[in-house]
Amino acid sequence: SQQGEEDPQALSIQEGENATMNCSYKTSINNLQWYRQNSGRGLVHLILIRSNEREKHSGRLRVTLDTSKKSSSLLITASRAADTASYFCAVIQGAQKLVFGQGTRLTINP
Amino acid sequence: EAGVVQSPRYKIIEKKQPVAFWCNPISGHNTLYWYLQNLGQGPELLIRYENEEAVDDSQLPKDRFSAERLKGVDSTLKIQPAELGDSAVYLCASSKRTGGDETQYFGPGTRLLVL
C-alpha cells in the first residue's frame, strides 16, 4: 500500500513561476524524502527532512513538514523547463521500507 | 562514480515466457532494492538485500518471481512465467547501508512489455 499521497496529481505552469506540491501521509515518521523522476529515468533523491525539522532548503527547493497534519510540501522557485518531471514523496514504513506516493507530474511550459 | 546500472533497458516478451533483469549497484553499497513501478504510480518495493541476504521479500510474488544476489554485488530478478499484468518498469536501487536516513540511488530501470 502506498503511504504518501501527492496533490495535485498533475501541475502545469509557466517557466519562471513557482511550483508547489503537497504530500500527505498516514503514520508517524522519522523523516520524509522527496525524489524526482524524469521521463524514462530512475528516481533522483532531492531532499530529506527529519520529523523534528519544519523547513529545509536546497537551492531552489524548499520543503516544509507539518507532523501535526501529517503533511509536507515541496516548493520549486523560479521554475525551469528542466524541472519538468514527476515528483514523489516517500516515508519509511515498518522495518526500513521506503514507501512512495503516486507522484505529482509537473510540466514547465516555456 | 558510476551510478546503478541496469540491463536491458527495454524488453518485449510474450506471456508465459521467462525474463530476467540484471542490476549492478554502486560500488561499496551493501543494500540493494528491486522496485516495481506501474504507469502513473510510485515505485513499490519487491525485495531488499543486505549483502547477500534477502531481508525483506514480503512483496515479492514468489510463485513466479525470484531474485538472487549471490556475491553481494550484482543482482538478478527473474519472472517465470510472465503474465500480461507484469508489464511495468522494474527499478533497481542501492544504498550504502540500510537505514531511514540513507539515500537510495536508482538505476534507469527496465521497461517490460508482456504481449
Side-chain angles (χ1 to χ4, degrees):
Chain A
S1 62
Q2 295 195 308
Q3 169 77 274
E5 293 185 6
E6 284 90 345
D7 171 57
Q9 290 190 356
L11 179 62
S12 182
I13 62 173
Q14 294 300 120
E15 193 168 16
E17 294 180 342
N18 296 339
T20 299
M21 290 157 272
N22 302 297
C23 168
S24 60
Y25 56 92
K26 299 175 182 177
T27 62
S28 297
I29 61 171
N30 291 324
N31 65 62
L32 184 143
Q33 304 179 37
W34 284 90
Y35 284 78
R36 183 189 73 228
Q37 185 177 34
N38 291 88
S39 180
R41 308 292 293 272
L43 281 77
V44 175
H45 183 263
L46 294 176
I47 198 166
L48 179 153
I49 186 166
R50 302 180 194 282
S51 60
N52 61 353
E53 297 176 310
R54 291 296 168 261
E55 188 171 311
K56 199 164 184 178
H57 297 254
S58 177
R60 294 184 295 113
L61 305 181
R62 172 177 167 252
V63 170
T64 62
L65 179 64
D66 187 337
T67 53
S68 66
K69 296 181 179 179
K70 291 186 169 58
S71 67
S72 174
S73 67
L74 171 66
L75 169 67
I76 303 174
T77 60
S79 63
R80 306 168 181 169
D83 294 330
T84 294
S86 290
Y87 292 82
F88 297 90
C89 67
V91 298
I92 293 292
Q93 182 179 69
Q96 310 302 331
K97 178 180 175 181
L98 197 60
V99 180
F100 291 84
Q102 294 185 338
T104 292
R105 293 181 299 281
L106 175 65
T107 302
I108 308 299
N109 302 304
Chain B
E1 169 178 273
V4 176
V5 179
Q6 290 188 248
S7 68
R9 291 294 312 276
Y10 305 92
K11 189 73 176 178
I12 301 175
I13 61 172
E14 294 187 345
K15 63 180 181 181
K16 301 185 181 180
Q17 295 299 305
V19 65
F21 315 125
W22 176 79
C23 172
N24 182 248
I26 293 174
S27 177
H29 281 196
N30 294 325
T31 307
L32 183 145
Y33 314 78
W34 282 103
Y35 288 89
L36 165 71
Q37 185 176 25
N38 288 306
L39 187 64
Q41 303 290 316
E44 297 181 47
L45 182 68
L46 289 173
I47 188 169
R48 172 169 60 94
Y49 281 94
E50 290 182 16
N51 298 305
E52 304 88 357
E53 183 181 0
V55 295
D56 183 357
D57 62 356
S58 58
Q59 300 303 310
L60 190 72
K62 298 181 183 62
D63 57 335
R64 297 184 300 107
F65 286 64
S66 64
E68 60 183 14
R69 193 185 185 200
L70 293 176
K71 296 183 179 179
V73 181
D74 295 4
S75 178
T76 302
L77 178 68
K78 298 178 181 178
I79 308 175
Q80 182 171 11
E83 297 179 352
L84 296 177
D86 296 331
S87 295
V89 176
Y90 292 83
L91 295 165
C92 179
S94 69
S95 62
K96 289 183 180 178
R97 61 190 66 82
T98 298
D101 287 4
E102 286 295 320
T103 296
Q104 295 187 25
Y105 296 84
F106 283 79
T110 295
R111 188 175 298 272
L112 174 67
L113 179 59
V114 182
L115 302 175

